[in-house]
Amino acid sequence: MNNTERYDKDDLLEAVRVMSEGGIILYPTDTVWGIGCDATNAAAVERIYQLKQRSDRKAMLCLLDAPGKLQGYVSQVPSTAWDLLECTDDLSQRPLTIIYPCARNVADNLLAEDGSLGIRITAEPFSQALCARLHHPVVSTSANISGQPAARSFREIPETIRAGVDYICRFRRNDPCQTRPSAIIKLGKNNEVTVIRE
């Protein structure tokens, strides 16, 4: 991933406009290319489930642009979370998704059955700016049909996914780097830690 590349502000603003009006987008994240929407919009979240043909309603994660915003979407951030975020020196090298208990202020259909929500603080400039401009978390789920491999670059994204979104971001379409998914850790209400993906 090339974090020094500059994105087109018009591209960013159009993606934000589409999401603020309930649309879904295809965009580069700090890991793989993702399908995104306003995480507070249940209808938009439902459209992503349908596009991915994801019948099991497995929860999707969302991105935030700063750790200070976590408390707006998690009732009580476990102390372990702050330690994990502080110890992760360079999130651009291996981003970390943390699944938090007792999530709030997002669409109900985005949550797992136990009320938890996966949130990643993105250090990638475009997705970071998307979150900041939208003033809401942005859903981030891999740009693939459920059960199929995640697209590691733009050219690997299936045509059915491209045709099903309302806007495709231009930034990093030609990026030759093939990225990998984030590490995932789940935190319990009493600071229990479960490693989901290293």
Side-chain angles (χ1 to χ4, degrees):
M1 180 174 64
N2 181 5
N3 278 340
T4 61
E5 183 183 348
R6 295 288 298 171
Y7 57 80
D8 177 3
K9 188 175 179 181
D10 289 340
D11 187 24
L12 174 73
L13 293 178
E14 181 62 13
V16 171
R17 183 195 67 78
V18 169
M19 289 192 292
S20 66
E21 294 178 0
I24 62 176
I25 66 169
L26 195 55
Y27 71 110
T29 76
D30 53 342
T31 58
V32 296
W33 270 76
I35 307 169
C37 70
D38 177 349
T40 68
N41 187 318
V45 170
E46 177 62 28
R47 283 187 58 202
I48 293 179
Y49 281 123
Q50 291 176 0
L51 178 60
K52 286 178 65 74
Q53 300 173 28
R54 200 166 181 168
S55 59
D56 60 359
R57 289 299 186 269
K58 186 178 176 182
M60 296 184 288
L61 67 93
C62 62
L63 301 180
L64 282 173
D65 57 303
K69 296 184 179 179
L70 276 171
Q71 290 164 310
Y73 302 98
V74 179
S75 296
Q76 185 172 355
V77 179
S79 58
T80 306
W82 301 117
D83 295 337
L84 287 168
L85 292 171
E86 192 173 302
C87 291
T88 309
D89 293 332
D90 190 352
L91 291 173
S92 66
Q93 294 303 311
R94 187 66 200 272
L96 173 64
T97 299
I98 298 176
I99 301 174
Y100 296 89
C102 306
R104 61 180 180 177
N105 298 329
V106 295
D108 287 343
N109 56 346
L110 188 57
L111 304 177
E113 288 184 4
D114 63 0
S116 64
L117 174 66
I119 300 175
R120 189 164 68 246
I121 308 300
T122 178
E124 187 274 329
F126 189 79
S127 54
Q128 195 173 57
L130 279 178
C131 296
R133 289 272 186 169
L134 186 65
H135 303 294
H136 288 153
V138 175
V139 167
S140 179
T141 184
S142 55
N144 62 320
I145 300 299
S146 186
Q148 296 182 2
R152 297 172 298 166
S153 63
F154 180 75
R155 65 179 175 272
E156 292 183 4
I157 299 171
E159 185 54 41
T160 52
I161 296 293
R162 297 186 198 194
V165 300
D166 301 304
Y167 183 70
I168 302 176
C169 296
R170 298 187 296 272
F171 185 57
R172 287 179 46 210
R173 283 196 197 183
N174 297 318
D175 192 338
C177 297
Q178 294 190 330
T179 54
R180 61 179 180 163
S182 69
I184 303 176
I185 291 176
K186 183 171 184 177
L187 300 181
K189 294 178 183 177
N190 298 311
N191 281 313
E192 307 95 336
V193 177
T194 304
V195 177
I196 306 296
R197 182 169 64 207
E198 293 184 358

